Amino acid sequence: MKLTAWGQYPVIDTKVILPNAVLAQKLVLESSVIPFGNGRSYGDSALAPNIVPMLSNDRFLNFAEESGLLTCESGVLLADIIEIFVPRGWFLKVTPGTKLITVGGAIASDVHGKNHHVEGCFSACVQEFTLMLADGAIVRCSREENQELFHATCGGMGLTGIILEVSFSLKRIKSKHIDQTTIKTGNLEETFAAFEAYKNFPYSVAWIDCLAKKADIGRCLLMVGDFANDGNLNYKAKKNVSIPFEFPGFALNNLSVRAFNWLYYGKVRKRVTQSQVDIDSFFYPLDALDHWYRIYGKGGFTQYQFILPKEKSLIGLKEILEQISSSGKGSFLAVLKLYGPANENYISFPMEGYSLALDFKIDPGLFALLDKLDEIVAYYGGRIYLTKDVRVSKTIFEQGYPLLDKFREVRSRYGLNKRFHSLQSQRLGI
Amino acid sequence: MSNAWLLVLGANSDIAVATARRFAKEGWNIYLASRDMDNLAKEAANLRLRYEVEARETFFDAIDFASHQAFYAALDPKPAGIIVAFGFLGDQPAAQKDFSIAKKIMESNYTGAVSILEVIAQDFEARRSGFIVGISSVAGDRGRASNYIYGSAKAGLSAYLGGLRHRLAKSSVHVMTVKPGFVATKMTAGMDLPKKLLASPQELAEAIYHGILASHNTIYTKKIWRLIMLIITHIPEKIFKKTNL
Ligand SMILES: Cc1cc2nc3c(=O)[nH]c(=O)nc-3n(C[C@H](O)[C@H](O)[C@H](O)COP(=O)(O)OP(=O)(O)OC[C@H]3O[C@@H](n4cnc5c(N)ncnc54)[C@H](O)[C@@H]3O)c2cc1C
Ligand SMILES: NC(=O)c1ccc[n+]([C@@H]2O[C@H](COP(=O)([O-])OP(=O)(O)OC[C@H]3O[C@@H](n4cnc5c(N)ncnc54)[C@H](OP(=O)(O)O)[C@@H]3O)[C@@H](O)[C@H]2O)c1
């Protein structure tokens, strides 16, 4: 079967092992297996010669009303949790910018959202999960039991086995609405100052105009907010609009990106605006467009996401934004966020500092530009987010993850490196 | 339709799971009956959490005929609808050599259904209401070398369901025969089946739910199978014998 992930690159031929009663017997016969969630990772993390598609492993098993602890199978989509639990007054403690991912994928990438500076990564709300190891045995992992497997699996990109059942906490909400404040800034210094000034809001993220030049570099719209209190929980998921076909290559030329960024930024007139928005438009604006990747045409696209330590963020980001702006390569989307402290997981992405994520159409010359940006990221002690990556070099990757050897050691001690590989893990020698 | 109960026999089948969810989504309470109780308990929890309906798991073995009276008697409240989903494809070449395998195929697809449905039919007939869905197969429309033991059991089931429909029509009880072609389930996992003819369990569930609303008698899923089987059943034996179907 032909398979690709969100960036539509690369496309590979793969064999399917179903997650049913005979999974363990089938699994032990193969040497290159990786679990596949909903394919919302951008690159080659979920691609391998053999995949275990997890979407059918989708049962809700228990919900404790008092504590908000939900137990479900790992193929459940966050979208289903939201649809079922928001009307009952509960929401995810941590959610990424798309709800179309599985719970297993949320753990494997240790995803984070607009509230990382307050709630940390997805693993922070995970109490325990069961994991199928290389020999088909199933073990329970938590901070008390099999701790090493727990810390390796959270952020471990499917390389430590197959997550089967998960118990994690939801949080109480009193509304399906979010009170949002939008702050318009004129340059990077102002943007940083705004992040600090609005730090007490649980949710914050900025859209950067990454084609701005010189003095304007780093200007943004910072959006912060929190759930409203109005008791209205009457949530229904929004209907989607689909992009019906691949855009021809020229649709996304520099000019159209510039127009988009300018419109987005130019639309907001006042420095500070207040509004009330619903869950889907606040957390998942991109989910409203099915197949939006098609605007990048047939060759695929990638997202470049890196993070820099806080004290190096200003200088590093300036250099990187200058490089991008002078390269003339457009990024449709550029998202900036201030993160809270790192957690104990061995290869989770977040650390305290600023992260920027940019989408690029894959075209000749792009990877050379990204290699240049990598050097800057590495120089300032930053790292690249694996779940978005399809091209980083082994050296740059290794420099960014100081606990990588611990991860490798756990993988080899449990024999996981004999069974679980993705194209990415092979490329990077994980 | 809330408060009404649907009894799903062979509830661990992938088609059965999808169908149970489809009915639960409309407010039906569900009895999940099959042999693997751990699996049933998980799906029952899932139905309760996802759809806020009642769901209970209960042990049922289609080929333990002697248990069927007591099994049905124990259900309280009685169901308003039945789905017969259990079935066993088996291995045709093996069944040719070993009658115990052939017997298991026949009992799992045919005899078991007759045994439990006669118990249920009596009750529905007396109550003058209810519906019964039996999942047969296109394999029952014509015997073929590659799976005629399974096919003959399904042919028996189709004929049985037709007769039951005839009998119960007088009592306002509706019987629907479902004839799937290829469905992507654990029964067919690993087989190389043509994508265009392959239905998902969810498609089956959708067709069954709407089939019951519309009181259809026999449905094929995907619909194209009605035409395919019409052609296949009309190929003269002389020619058919030379084919490789
Ligand atoms: C529009 C968009 C916005 C996004 N926003 C954010 C964001 O704000 N923050 C963020 O952190 N990420 C974000 N992402 C990335 C996304 O959240 C992650 O890539 C996530 O892991 C995808 O989950 P998935 O279920 O689709 O898994 P896949 O993409 O299928 O797999 C991702 C990884 O998880 C592993 N995996 C999947 N299931 C299991 C399992 N059961 N057991 C073990 N390993 C498993 C795979 O092997 C693979 O390594 C975004 C992606 C998109 C497309
Ligand atoms: N898949 C196809 O392509 C296809 C095509 C045409 C027709 N069909 C028919 O559709 C129905 C459902 O098929 P499926 O593919 O969904 O099946 P499936 O996923 O393979 O599951 C079959 C289920 O039948 C149950 N079962 C078998 N013997 C039983 C017995 N003696 N007592 C109780 N339960 C028993 C098993 O339950 P436990 O797990 O509890 O043991 C099993 O889970 C079957 O009748 C099949 O013949 C399927």
Side-chain angles (χ1 to χ4, degrees):
Chain A
M1 173 181 117
K2 290 259 182 279
L3 186 73
T4 187
W6 191 240
Q8 312 299 302
Y9 170 85
V11 181
I12 66 155
D13 243 319
T14 185
K15 218 178 76 193
V16 165
I17 306 174
L18 290 176
N20 56 26
V22 292
L23 171 61
Q25 281 120 277
K26 295 268 162 79
L27 181 70
V28 296
L29 305 175
E30 304 293 345
S31 58
S32 269
V33 188
I34 203 77
F36 189 91
N38 200 32
R40 248 57 183 187
S41 53
Y42 280 66
D44 49 3
S45 321
L47 304 180
N50 301 281
I51 60 145
V52 184
M54 299 305 294
L55 278 182
S56 61
N57 187 46
D58 69 344
R59 291 179 291 201
F60 284 82
L61 300 175
N62 192 39
F63 184 63
E65 279 289 342
E66 327 72 58
S67 60
L69 192 74
L70 174 65
T71 303
C72 67
E73 293 179 324
S74 61
V76 165
L77 290 175
L78 301 189
D80 285 357
I81 297 174
I82 292 167
E83 197 170 330
I84 293 167
F85 285 97
V86 168
R88 304 179 201 176
W90 298 92
F91 189 66
L92 301 158
K93 273 197 168 164
V94 171
T95 175
T98 172
K99 60 182 174 176
L100 299 173
I101 72 161
T102 62
V103 170
I107 295 179
S109 299
D110 204 6
V111 300
H112 56 271
K114 295 181 175 190
N115 60 354
H116 184 271
H117 60 294
V118 183
E119 298 276 5
C121 290
F122 192 81
S123 57
C125 69
V126 175
Q127 191 171 84
E128 62 175 44
F129 51 79
T130 55
L131 185 70
M132 183 177 280
L133 300 177
D135 58 358
I138 298 173
V139 296
R140 188 175 297 281
C141 307
S142 68
R143 287 175 185 80
E144 291 78 43
E145 204 175 341
N146 294 307
Q147 298 98 320
E148 289 183 319
L149 283 174
F150 182 89
H151 290 301
T153 302
C154 297
M157 305 311 295
L159 298 168
T160 60
I162 301 166
I163 303 164
L164 295 173
E165 293 180 6
V166 185
S167 295
F168 60 104
S169 312
L170 302 181
K171 72 172 208 174
R172 278 233 176 257
I173 52 169
K174 294 210 176 69
S175 172
K176 63 167 183 175
H177 291 126
I178 286 93
D179 289 322
Q180 175 177 276
T181 305
T182 306
I183 304 104
K184 185 174 177 172
T185 70
N187 58 44
L188 197 58
E189 279 84 356
E190 275 183 42
T191 299
F192 275 42
F195 264 111
E196 292 293 345
Y198 287 87
K199 193 150 77 185
N200 290 334
F201 282 84
Y203 298 106
S204 65
V205 72
W207 292 55
I208 291 256
D209 176 359
C210 59
L211 293 178
K213 295 230 188 266
K214 308 232 164 69
D216 295 339
I217 277 186
R219 67 181 186 184
C220 82
L221 295 178
L222 172 64
M223 284 155 282
V224 302
D226 195 2
F227 277 94
N229 238 329
D230 59 17
N232 180 353
L233 293 165
N234 184 18
Y235 171 84
K236 290 233 162 44
K238 280 227 171 88
K239 282 254 180 314
N240 285 5
V241 191
S242 180
I243 293 188
F245 51 82
E246 268 94 1
F247 276 35
F250 62 80
L252 202 79
N253 59 23
N254 188 1
L255 214 70
S256 54
V257 173
R258 194 180 292 274
F260 174 84
N261 277 335
W262 185 83
L263 271 177
Y264 201 88
Y265 184 83
K267 202 174 77 175
V268 180
R269 298 194 186 286
K270 285 192 285 183
R271 213 189 86 79
V272 178
T273 32
Q274 310 282 350
S275 55
Q276 197 173 64
V277 295
D278 60 29
I279 286 177
D280 284 326
S281 17
F282 186 75
F283 291 103
Y284 315 114
L286 289 170
D287 288 348
L289 280 177
D290 280 337
H291 312 296
W292 57 256
Y293 53 78
R294 287 179 175 160
I295 60 173
Y296 291 101
K298 282 206 159 99
F301 70 109
T302 188
Q303 186 170 89
Y304 186 70
Q305 182 168 7
F306 64 88
I307 188 161
L308 296 174
K310 200 166 174 187
E311 63 284 3
K312 301 287 183 205
S313 287
L314 189 62
I315 175 165
L317 270 166
K318 267 198 175 156
E319 277 181 44
I320 287 173
L321 286 170
E322 268 160 23
Q323 284 274 357
I324 295 170
S325 160
S326 65
S327 79
K329 289 207 186 293
S331 182
F332 199 54
L333 246 193
V335 177
L336 182 73
K337 158 131 198 83
L338 174 58
Y339 287 49
N343 60 26
E344 293 172 72
N345 304 327
Y346 306 142
I347 59 169
S348 270
F349 168 69
M351 61 164 86
E352 187 156 15
Y354 281 88
S355 164
L356 184 67
L358 311 120
D359 282 5
F360 291 102
K361 177 178 163 53
I362 294 180
D363 62 12
L366 174 67
F367 288 177
L369 169 67
L370 299 185
D371 286 342
K372 265 201 239 162
L373 304 187
D374 280 349
E375 295 297 334
I376 306 174
V377 171
Y379 178 79
Y380 290 114
R383 57 172 72 135
I384 304 288
Y385 195 3
L386 285 177
T387 207
K388 309 285 178 77
D389 174 65
V390 73
R391 35 68 49 195
V392 75
S393 74
K394 186 169 184 230
T395 332
I396 297 285
F397 162 67
E398 285 178 340
Q399 282 180 40
Y401 289 86
L403 295 182
L404 180 61
D405 281 334
K406 175 71 189 170
F407 182 78
R408 286 180 172 139
E409 189 266 312
V410 172
R411 229 163 92 75
S412 105
R413 183 145 40 87
Y414 284 91
L416 298 160
N417 55 353
K418 302 238 154 51
R419 186 88 58 231
F420 299 102
H421 294 285
S422 59
L423 295 194
Q424 181 174 62
S425 75
Q426 264 163 340
R427 183 164 56 79
L428 297 175
I430 311 176
Chain B
M1 244 321 177
S2 59
N3 295 330
W5 285 79
L6 178 76
L7 168 62
V8 185
L9 296 161
N12 283 322
S13 112
D14 293 342
I15 296 174
V17 168
T19 308
R21 290 185 185 188
R22 188 63 187 82
F23 278 81
K25 194 174 155 196
E26 305 298 333
W28 285 76
N29 299 322
I30 313 282
Y31 287 116
L32 298 168
S34 207
R35 297 171 303 185
D36 180 342
M37 293 298 284
D38 280 352
N39 235 353
L40 290 183
K42 286 182 180 177
E43 186 55 39
N46 179 55
L47 292 174
R48 286 191 291 267
L49 280 164
R50 271 184 193 260
Y51 306 108
E52 297 187 289
V53 297
E54 285 188 60
R56 291 182 205 158
E57 68 273 17
T58 156
F59 184 85
F60 171 76
D61 184 348
I63 62 182
D64 182 7
F65 314 125
S67 68
H68 291 177
Q69 281 282 0
F71 162 80
Y72 191 71
L75 297 182
D76 179 28
K78 288 286 178 264
I82 310 289
I83 312 268
V84 175
F86 55 80
F88 175 59
L89 182 57
D91 179 355
Q92 168 74 26
Q96 287 165 208
K97 291 191 201 90
D98 179 348
F99 181 70
S100 70
I101 298 176
K103 183 162 172 264
K104 186 173 164 194
I105 295 175
M106 293 185 279
E107 292 187 342
S108 307
N109 291 295
Y110 175 62
T111 326
V114 174
S115 167
I116 183 65
L117 284 180
E118 282 308 312
V119 175
I120 293 169
Q122 254 189 35
D123 177 44
F124 277 24
E125 197 169 39
R127 285 160 47 200
R128 301 187 63 79
S129 74
F131 66 82
I132 295 170
V133 176
I135 307 187
S136 186
S137 169
V138 297
D141 284 8
R142 186 167 197 175
R144 293 175 293 125
S146 57
N147 68 356
Y148 63 86
I149 295 180
Y150 171 78
S152 68
K154 288 297 194 191
L157 179 63
S158 295
Y160 171 81
L161 291 168
L164 191 65
R165 173 161 47 245
H166 195 196
R167 164 184 159 200
L168 294 180
K170 296 173 190 63
S171 320
S172 322
V173 176
H174 184 61
V175 179
M176 182 168 83
T177 309
V178 182
K179 294 186 178 174
F182 302 136
V183 191
T185 69
K186 60 181 178 293
M187 190 176 270
T188 54
M191 296 184 191
D192 195 16
L193 301 169
K195 269 242 165 69
K196 287 233 161 69
L197 300 179
L198 186 66
S200 66
Q202 289 72 25
E203 269 178 271
L204 258 288
E206 212 49 50
I208 291 171
Y209 182 72
H210 288 288
I212 282 299
L213 287 189
S215 299
H216 287 317
N217 296 312
T218 298
I219 60 172
Y220 284 80
T221 325
K222 303 183 167 240
K223 289 202 173 106
I224 180 76
W225 282 97
R226 188 182 287 274
L227 183 65
I228 297 175
M229 294 320 292
L230 186 73
I231 296 168
I232 291 185
T233 50
H234 282 82
I235 302 174
E237 279 293 338
K238 239 187 183 161
I239 302 172
F240 193 72
K241 280 191 279 187
K242 296 191 182 119
T243 63
N244 220 345
L245 286 164

